[in-house]
Amino acid sequence: MAAPLGPSKVGVAPIDQVASNGSAPTPTVQVPPGVNGGFLTRHDVINLFSREVPLATAKPVAEGAAPPWALKSNTLVKTVASDVREATNKFENLFSKILPHGADDDYVTLKASITIQKKLLVLDVTDLIADSGDDLAEVLGQHVSVQLVSTQIDPKTKKVYVSEDVPILNWVTTRDMIVPVNFKFGLDFKVPKDFGTPGAIIVKNRHIHEFLLVSFSIQMPNNAVINFPADSWVYSTNFKNGRIFFSNELYLPQETPEGLVALRQQELENLRGNGSGERNYHDRIYDYATYNDLGDPDLNEGLKRPVLGGSELPYPRRVRTGRPPTKKDPKSESRGQLLAFFYIPRDEKFDQVKFSDFAADTVRSGQHAILPVLRGAVRDQDQDFNDFADIKSLYAEKGTPMTLPSNLTPKGAQIDPATQNPLTFIHEYAFPSGPDTTLFTFPLPKVIAADDKAWSTDVEFARQMLSGINPLVIKLLEEFPIKSTLDPAEFGDPLSAITAKDLEKGLEGLTVEQALAQKRLFVQDYHDIFLPYIGRINAQKKGSMYATRTVLFLTSEKILTPLAIELTVPSSSAGSKKKSRVFTPPAADSIEQWVWKLAKAHVASVDMSYHEVVSHFLRTHAAMEPFIIATNRQLSVLHPVNQVLAPHYKNTMDINAAARKVLINAGGIIELNFTPGKYTMEMSAVVYKNDWRFDEQSLPEDLIKRKMAVRDPSAKHGLKLVIEDYPYAVDGLELWAAMKEYMADHVKIFYKSDKAVQDDTELQTWWTEVRTVGHGDKKDSPGWPTLDSIENLVYILTTIAWVASCHHAAVNFGQYAYAGYMPNHPSMTRRFIPEPGTTEWEQLQKDPERFFLDSISNETQAASVMSTIEILSTHALDEEYLGQRQTPNWSNDERVLSAFAKFTDKMTDITQLIHARNADKSLKNRTGPVKMPYELLLPKSDTPGLTGKGVPNSVSI
């Protein structure tokens, strides 16, 4: 029988332990009990006190005797010993430590392998100091150590079996690197034969500096290997209980092995925190807060913004940081120092490769914007483009390679991005993995790569509503005339100004009623969303915006074409509530062509604003964060639902924090460069309040809501599309079905009945918290499934995974391809369309190109947005796509791995199917006049960079 916790004993390093450099460890010197881990190598002692001392002079010290070096640091030893004893006592309530005693035949040696990664130096020179401090800690015996925790408990003490601490030696043989390098160490654990199966480990880091615990594995006497896929940063735990990591076995709460029950609950409590205090960089605490940190009233009263979240402006919750309120507005949270990062739990931060890659992309993209900004600064005050050729000068010529000044180019460098391993900021900056580019020009957007005029055609304008960056708004028109839902008392006549006469000249001989009956009329309608804000938006004097409504027709060739555009503003005249103008496609070669182009530009600009803060940020970034928080607070890493969702959460909170810092904040990139200005995010909260439902975030329900599909059990995937050639929907349904099948396969491994779902306490608490706290402002809204069956659980998980992966990919990774050419999707409209007989009308007639360019984003605004969406559209070097999991040995369960392998194979099949569809010339909406195949929902991008294809698992950028 294993012995209970006893007095500390001095240990000896395993003889066959091997460091990353393959060298055998040196014999160890014993140190007094209580000095963390009780180990010093001769190498450590010699390097600390005298590099001239021969190795033979470093003799082992008898147990209980003070070694020579201890006389020089007696106070330190006593202090450390005292603190460590205090920390150790905390374990006694839970663990029963097993110490080697008795005959050797009663024990077995378990061989373990631990893989760690140290922090990159290239972006943090202070790591050099920390690395030296870590080396000193090693010399003083303050090692990184590991204990095994059994799945069994001591029947006498009712405490969990835990092994002795085993330290990692030869740490000083590793050094911080400028590239991510995994260091692998061997450890031996001597435990009684009745120790049982290790189910967790306790890692203690007695260094100053954190390190990444990549993985840990143990080989059992029967040669079975138990894996612990940690992938987590371990901070100094010198005077704490250490970090808990579980093996990759998955258990429902009621099936948890007895030895892990208390640890499972303890780790969840650790992650929840106590809801108070300001969070620190190294914390791992998940809690909720409103979006009350977008404004900065202490810096400038004009930067005060309303709180998003609560009864007035409902919104999903973000992670709580605990920063103090601002001085001028107690409802707002202070934003801290200008360059300070917002807190997120440490494991939610970008990994080192992703961070280096993102930083390089950011610097390089910002550099692309330098010349436009400088060029505008030396021109007139408006900084406008001179002509369309001026816009094209921003881009590198097609096929131009990345070049560096000769003094920066490595001598004899031959860089092949296809064969490079993920490296560093310096490497990625100098040799990007993306498209051809130069240091000071933007990459050529795909929308003008084949034909620089095709973007302006009516067919392409309409096609992008089905396969562009925002294919989530267009809906079937079922009634005519179109009627607003806004209050007539405030906004006037609810009927649209578009008449049957406006439409019928483009209906191929049909009447409006016939076209409606044949389901061939569609609408992109932003009227009701924008009109209540248009007056306030235009009062900012930074732009001129309309509430837009566009009616489209599906031709006999199955191609969409616009029939009419309605542009509305509130009227300034007494007794009139709004003013609407209707524009229709004009005859060729007339000034009306430019008027029509201006109308389309206003529609594209409104769509750009809605896309960025609703289709993109609200519906993916913001909506996902509560699920991430709730999952970490309520679902143990041992839970099968946690593990199937984990890939769909990666990097999301980090990019969300960055967005709050510089993108969606008061005075941020969107406010400065998008026409709605300071009302942009507030409008997204109104959309969340009026239009967001969880069930309608699934692709099938979204299509049905917009009447773009009807339920049909005989149709593929159970839906019949109204427009059969709807690339986003067609490809999306393939991915939705595959994801749903995978979720069902995974869930059914662990849940054998609906009752098992109902009885899962962690699962039920998780779903309740998501609805009542994370999305608490919508807790009483319809659309929340009841979590009472396997079917509903599968639907919930599929919806979460869909939003994080496919929905996000569809609206994000094509941004530069389409909007990188500003006239196609201007973020700003600066002038209204003039009325005939006015001075502005004369200006338009005199120089229509000049007037058009003066009406949309200027050079500085365009460059700022282009730089931003270039970053957002870029795939990372270590991107994890659908069907991939980069965490090694994430599961040992053959059933789990088989289900995932099936899903991976399905991604290959869907890839081939999408390529075949793009090659089918009868499907005209897939490439369009710009000759740009729809690849946003291809499961994988073959290369990193600005590819316009590939579906990462998560909202990762």
Side-chain angles (χ1 to χ4, degrees):
M1 182 60 63
L5 178 64
S8 176
K9 288 194 175 182
V10 174
V12 178
I15 296 301
D16 60 348
Q17 186 182 45
V18 179
S20 60
N21 61 2
S23 62
T26 57
T28 61
V29 176
Q30 298 175 344
V31 298
V35 176
N36 302 331
F39 292 88
L40 274 180
T41 66
R42 292 177 179 175
H43 175 78
D44 293 334
V45 176
I46 293 169
N47 277 277
L48 179 62
F49 295 105
S50 175
R51 295 185 184 276
E52 303 301 323
V53 178
L55 182 64
T57 65
K59 301 294 186 182
V61 180
E63 184 174 346
W69 61 267
L71 300 177
K72 299 184 180 182
S73 53
N74 191 48
T75 302
L76 174 63
V77 172
K78 289 182 178 178
T79 301
V80 170
S82 175
D83 288 337
V84 172
R85 279 196 297 269
E86 180 182 350
T88 304
N89 290 336
K90 297 178 181 179
F91 281 92
E92 295 186 5
N93 294 326
L94 184 59
F95 299 128
S96 181
K97 182 179 287 187
I98 298 175
L99 300 174
H101 69 282
D104 287 344
D105 291 344
D106 295 333
Y107 292 84
V108 294
T109 297
L110 304 182
K111 292 187 175 296
S113 174
I114 185 169
T115 302
I116 65 101
Q117 190 178 107
K118 303 180 77 174
K119 197 170 183 180
L120 295 185
L121 290 177
V122 70
L123 293 178
D124 190 356
V125 295
T126 60
D127 290 351
L128 286 168
I129 300 173
D131 191 40
S132 298
D134 291 349
D135 289 348
L136 178 59
E138 284 287 306
V139 172
L140 295 178
Q142 296 176 257
H143 299 288
V144 173
S145 66
V146 183
Q147 287 177 282
L148 305 183
V149 181
S150 174
T151 56
Q152 300 177 184
I153 64 171
D154 186 330
K156 292 183 178 179
T157 65
K158 304 301 181 184
K159 294 180 180 180
V160 183
Y161 285 144
V162 62
S163 75
E164 276 194 301
D165 271 340
V166 174
I168 298 176
L169 301 181
N170 295 299
W171 187 278
V172 293
T173 65
T174 70
R175 285 292 181 267
D176 282 355
M177 307 293 288
I178 62 169
V179 297
V181 173
N182 287 345
F183 293 100
K184 191 173 183 180
F185 299 87
L187 302 176
D188 282 5
F189 294 85
K190 188 175 183 180
V191 297
K193 290 182 177 179
D194 60 357
F195 181 78
T197 302
I201 59 174
I202 299 170
V203 180
K204 297 177 183 177
N205 177 12
R206 301 175 178 91
H207 292 171
I208 299 171
H209 206 215
E210 73 271 22
F211 68 89
L212 180 67
L213 176 57
V214 178
S215 63
F216 183 87
S217 62
I218 303 170
Q219 185 172 350
M220 300 298 287
N222 62 358
N223 292 324
V225 176
I226 302 174
N227 288 295
F228 298 74
D231 195 24
S232 178
W233 289 93
V234 182
Y235 277 75
S236 176
T237 58
N238 207 356
F239 309 125
K240 298 179 182 178
N241 291 343
R243 279 287 306 280
I244 301 167
F245 294 96
F246 294 97
S247 75
N248 60 6
E249 297 294 331
L250 300 178
Y251 308 98
L252 297 180
Q254 62 272 25
E255 298 170 353
T256 309
E258 198 172 11
L260 302 182
V261 171
L263 277 182
R264 180 174 185 150
Q265 183 58 37
Q266 181 62 53
E267 182 65 358
L268 285 174
E269 291 176 3
N270 293 342
L271 294 173
R272 293 179 197 134
N274 59 14
S276 64
E278 184 173 353
R279 299 274 59 87
N280 296 312
Y281 176 82
H282 59 272
D283 284 344
R284 300 169 55 245
I285 295 175
Y286 296 78
D287 206 352
Y288 301 93
T290 59
Y291 279 74
N292 63 349
D293 64 344
L294 301 183
D296 198 353
D298 287 350
L299 182 65
N300 186 318
E301 283 284 357
L303 296 179
K304 182 178 179 180
R305 296 292 180 269
V307 174
L308 303 187
S311 58
E312 294 184 13
L313 289 170
Y315 215 68
R317 296 302 189 258
R318 62 167 175 90
V319 70
R320 179 185 176 276
T321 63
R323 296 190 303 270
T326 61
K327 296 177 182 178
K328 295 183 179 179
D329 180 13
K331 293 182 179 179
S332 296
E333 186 174 271
S334 60
R335 293 174 57 80
Q337 297 298 317
L338 178 63
L339 298 179
F341 290 105
F342 285 174
Y343 164 79
I344 59 172
R346 182 62 179 92
D347 288 341
E348 301 296 337
K349 294 183 182 294
F350 289 163
D351 62 38
Q352 300 195 96
V353 173
K354 172 80 172 178
F355 179 74
S356 295
D357 192 29
F358 181 77
D361 290 339
T362 300
V363 173
R364 189 172 53 251
S365 184
Q367 189 168 277
H368 292 162
I370 288 176
L371 291 183
V373 172
L374 293 177
R375 187 168 60 180
V378 299
R379 289 181 179 170
D380 57 49
Q381 192 173 4
D382 292 332
Q383 304 171 14
D384 292 328
F385 291 106
N386 289 326
D387 48 34
F388 282 98
D390 206 13
I391 299 176
K392 285 202 68 178
S393 71
L394 298 178
Y395 309 109
E397 292 295 326
K398 189 175 182 181
T400 302
M402 177 73 177
T403 60
L404 284 170
S406 59
N407 62 329
L408 293 182
T409 306
K411 185 176 181 180
Q414 297 291 328
I415 302 298
D416 180 5
T419 62
Q420 290 301 302
N421 294 321
L423 294 177
T424 66
F425 165 82
I426 294 173
H427 180 276
E428 276 308 293
Y429 170 77
F431 306 102
S433 304
D436 295 334
T437 184
T438 64
L439 282 176
F440 295 105
T441 54
F442 286 96
L444 188 68
K446 287 186 177 182
V447 75
I448 60 169
D451 185 335
D452 63 1
K453 301 292 192 299
W455 67 272
S456 64
T457 63
D458 287 355
V459 170
E460 181 61 25
F461 170 76
R463 185 190 77 89
Q464 289 183 25
M465 297 184 190
L466 298 175
S467 56
I469 60 173
N470 194 20
L472 309 173
V473 178
I474 188 171
K475 60 184 178 181
L476 180 70
L477 185 60
E478 295 185 288
E479 297 180 349
F480 193 84
I482 303 168
K483 188 175 182 180
S484 170
T485 60
L486 297 175
D487 183 2
E490 185 177 358
F491 297 101
D493 187 354
L495 293 182
S496 168
I498 298 174
T499 65
K501 183 179 179 180
D502 295 323
L503 303 181
E504 288 181 346
K505 59 184 178 182
L507 292 180
E508 298 181 343
L510 299 176
T511 65
V512 171
E513 289 74 18
Q514 289 171 328
L516 288 172
Q518 294 180 21
K519 296 186 176 181
R520 295 174 67 181
L521 283 176
F522 300 86
V523 64
Q524 184 199 66
D525 197 343
Y526 289 123
H527 178 278
D528 289 5
I529 298 168
F530 278 81
L531 188 60
Y533 278 88
I534 290 296
R536 284 175 280 176
I537 289 171
N538 292 334
Q540 298 175 104
K541 304 298 183 182
K542 62 180 294 182
S544 301
M545 188 173 232
Y546 298 99
T548 68
R549 184 182 276 145
T550 306
V551 176
L552 308 104
F553 176 65
L554 187 66
T555 70
S556 56
E557 295 181 344
K558 306 301 181 183
I559 296 173
L560 271 183
T561 185
L563 299 180
I565 292 173
E566 180 180 14
L567 304 180
T568 304
V569 293
S571 177
S572 58
S573 304
S576 179
K577 300 298 182 183
K578 64 180 181 180
K579 180 180 180 180
S580 296
R581 299 176 66 186
V582 177
F583 302 87
T584 58
D589 300 326
S590 69
I591 194 63
E592 294 297 331
Q593 275 285 351
W594 282 98
V595 174
W596 177 242
K597 287 181 179 180
L598 284 168
K600 292 192 294 183
H602 276 278
V603 170
S605 183
V606 169
D607 183 65
M608 184 75 172
S609 293
Y610 183 91
H611 157 269
E612 204 61 78
V613 296
V614 176
S615 298
H616 185 198
F617 186 79
L618 167 64
R619 291 185 61 182
T620 64
H621 289 262
M624 283 302 301
E625 189 152 335
F627 291 98
I628 301 171
I629 298 170
T631 298
N632 282 278
R633 285 169 55 87
Q634 303 299 343
L635 293 179
S636 167
V637 294
L638 294 169
H639 200 290
V641 168
N642 180 309
Q643 283 301 303
V644 82
L645 287 178
H648 301 294
Y649 295 158
K650 186 177 180 180
N651 295 327
T652 301
M653 292 180 75
D654 203 344
I655 197 65
N656 284 5
R660 299 198 334 265
K661 191 70 176 178
V662 300
L663 186 65
I664 62 173
N665 60 299
I669 293 171
I670 287 181
E671 282 200 4
L672 289 176
N673 300 291
F674 284 65
T675 315
K678 70 178 185 179
Y679 299 104
T680 312
M681 286 299 293
E682 183 177 332
M683 290 176 64
S684 76
V686 174
V687 174
Y688 178 73
K689 176 182 179 180
N690 296 333
D691 197 53
W692 190 91
R693 289 174 40 152
F694 175 80
D695 60 336
E696 291 173 348
Q697 304 314 299
S698 74
L699 177 62
E701 294 305 317
D702 173 56
L703 294 171
I704 291 168
K705 171 189 177 182
R706 293 187 284 121
K707 309 297 182 182
M708 297 299 288
V710 294
R711 300 188 197 279
D712 183 350
S714 65
K716 188 177 184 181
H717 309 309
L719 290 182
K720 179 177 176 58
L721 294 173
V722 175
I723 300 178
E724 294 180 358
D725 184 15
Y726 183 179
Y728 164 73
V730 173
D731 294 353
L733 286 172
E734 300 288 348
L735 293 170
W736 170 270
M739 295 174 74
K740 185 178 180 181
E741 182 179 21
Y742 167 56
M743 291 298 178
D745 289 345
H746 181 86
V747 164
K748 290 177 181 178
I749 293 171
F750 301 94
Y751 296 96
K752 305 306 181 185
S753 67
D754 292 344
K755 188 175 185 305
V757 173
Q758 298 164 19
D759 292 344
D760 186 336
T761 54
E762 283 187 10
L763 188 71
Q764 295 298 327
T765 304
W766 166 74
W767 187 237
T768 298
E769 183 168 294
V770 165
R771 181 176 62 82
T772 62
V773 183
H775 282 278
D777 297 337
K778 301 284 289 187
K779 65 179 183 298
D780 298 321
S781 300
W784 293 105
T786 302
L787 189 47
D788 58 359
S789 65
I790 292 174
E791 180 182 5
N792 282 354
L793 174 57
V794 169
Y795 175 78
I796 289 168
L797 299 182
T798 307
T799 301
I800 294 171
W802 164 264
V803 170
S805 57
C806 304
H807 177 152
H808 179 259
V811 299
N812 181 69
F813 290 102
Q815 287 189 87
Y816 189 82
Y818 283 104
Y821 184 65
M822 182 274 296
N824 187 51
H825 267 292
S827 65
M828 179 72 71
T829 45
R830 296 180 290 145
R831 302 183 73 170
F832 290 121
I833 299 176
E835 300 269 9
T838 62
T839 302
E840 289 78 9
W841 181 260
E842 294 178 1
Q843 294 173 353
L844 173 61
Q845 288 186 310
K846 182 179 179 180
D847 192 345
E849 182 177 345
R850 171 79 269 141
F851 194 95
F852 182 88
L853 293 175
D854 288 349
S855 298
I856 55 179
S857 305
N858 64 35
E859 192 164 9
T860 303
Q861 293 161 344
S864 178
V865 172
M866 289 161 58
S867 178
T868 302
I869 62 177
E870 181 186 3
I871 298 167
L872 297 179
S873 303
T874 300
H875 286 298
L877 285 158
D878 61 345
E879 199 82 89
E880 185 179 277
Y881 297 98
L882 289 179
Q884 297 180 338
R885 292 193 67 147
Q886 293 182 355
T887 302
N889 302 312
W890 64 275
S891 177
N892 268 6
D893 192 321
E894 289 299 327
R895 301 168 301 169
V896 170
L897 295 175
S898 176
F900 188 71
K902 176 182 172 184
F903 177 64
T904 301
D905 290 343
K906 192 67 176 178
M907 293 303 100
T908 301
D909 295 341
I910 292 174
T911 297
Q912 296 172 351
L913 180 59
I914 291 174
H915 283 313
R917 287 171 176 163
N918 285 334
D920 187 344
K921 297 189 181 303
S922 69
L923 301 176
K924 299 180 180 179
N925 291 329
R926 296 199 68 90
T927 56
V930 294
K931 300 180 177 62
M932 180 178 167
Y934 188 73
E935 298 178 324
L936 291 174
L937 292 182
L938 272 175
K940 182 179 181 294
S941 175
D942 295 331
T943 63
L946 203 60
T947 65
K949 64 181 74 173
V951 182
N953 282 321
S954 62
V955 181
S956 58
I957 193 68

